[in-house]
Amino acid sequence: MTHPSTPLSPGQPQRAADGGLPPDVESALRAADDALALRLGTVTRQEIDVRTGELRGHVVLLADAVLDHARTAAARSVRWEVDQLLASTPRDGALVFSAYQHLRDLARMLRRLADSAAEHGVTA
């Protein structure tokens, strides 16, 4: 795992993979903070699943914007972590704790990606 301050991409701002505007880093950070503020026992599995979907969307957009054109070993490593995290989404029958922990893992990854995006000028 790389340190969150490790540069992930060259200093050039990048556009989203579809050629559109880059992702909104501020809203991604808000979504991550909101997810990390949730407490197990005060949130339903349905709410966890909704927030997980939202965070997955932000993670995919930021990872595409920040990591896809990077040529560093750190970026490749983080891209692998992102891919593994996205592939490990708990199934419907999984325990609420597993879904909650996955939500928190997504939020932490989103913070890392958002920090890197802000550092490299990727903003909406």
Side-chain angles (χ1 to χ4, degrees):
M1 178 181 272
T2 61
H3 187 273
S5 65
T6 302
L8 299 178
S9 66
Q12 296 293 349
Q14 299 169 3
R15 297 184 69 75
D18 65 358
L21 293 175
D24 183 357
V25 175
E26 257 184 65
S27 69
L29 281 172
R30 273 194 309 276
D33 289 345
D34 290 347
L36 290 169
L38 296 175
R39 297 290 167 236
L40 190 60
T42 63
V43 64
T44 65
R45 173 63 191 261
Q46 183 179 8
E47 187 176 358
I48 290 171
D49 290 344
V50 167
R51 298 233 183 186
T52 296
E54 177 185 2
L55 292 184
R56 285 176 59 87
H58 283 297
V59 166
V60 167
L61 286 174
L62 281 175
D64 288 348
V66 174
L67 301 174
D68 278 354
H69 303 288
R71 306 253 190 271
T72 66
R76 287 189 299 274
S77 176
V78 174
R79 171 47 93 180
W80 182 85
E81 288 179 54
V82 167
D83 292 343
Q84 294 300 308
L85 183 59
L86 294 173
S88 68
T89 301
R91 305 252 183 244
D92 288 339
L95 297 174
V96 173
F97 178 76
S98 296
Y100 174 75
Q101 197 61 41
H102 182 73
L103 174 72
R104 293 181 62 79
D105 291 342
L106 282 169
R108 286 188 292 270
M109 177 58 74
L110 184 54
R111 277 184 169 178
R112 285 177 62 192
L113 292 169
D115 287 345
S116 182
E119 180 179 316
H120 293 94
V122 178
T123 59

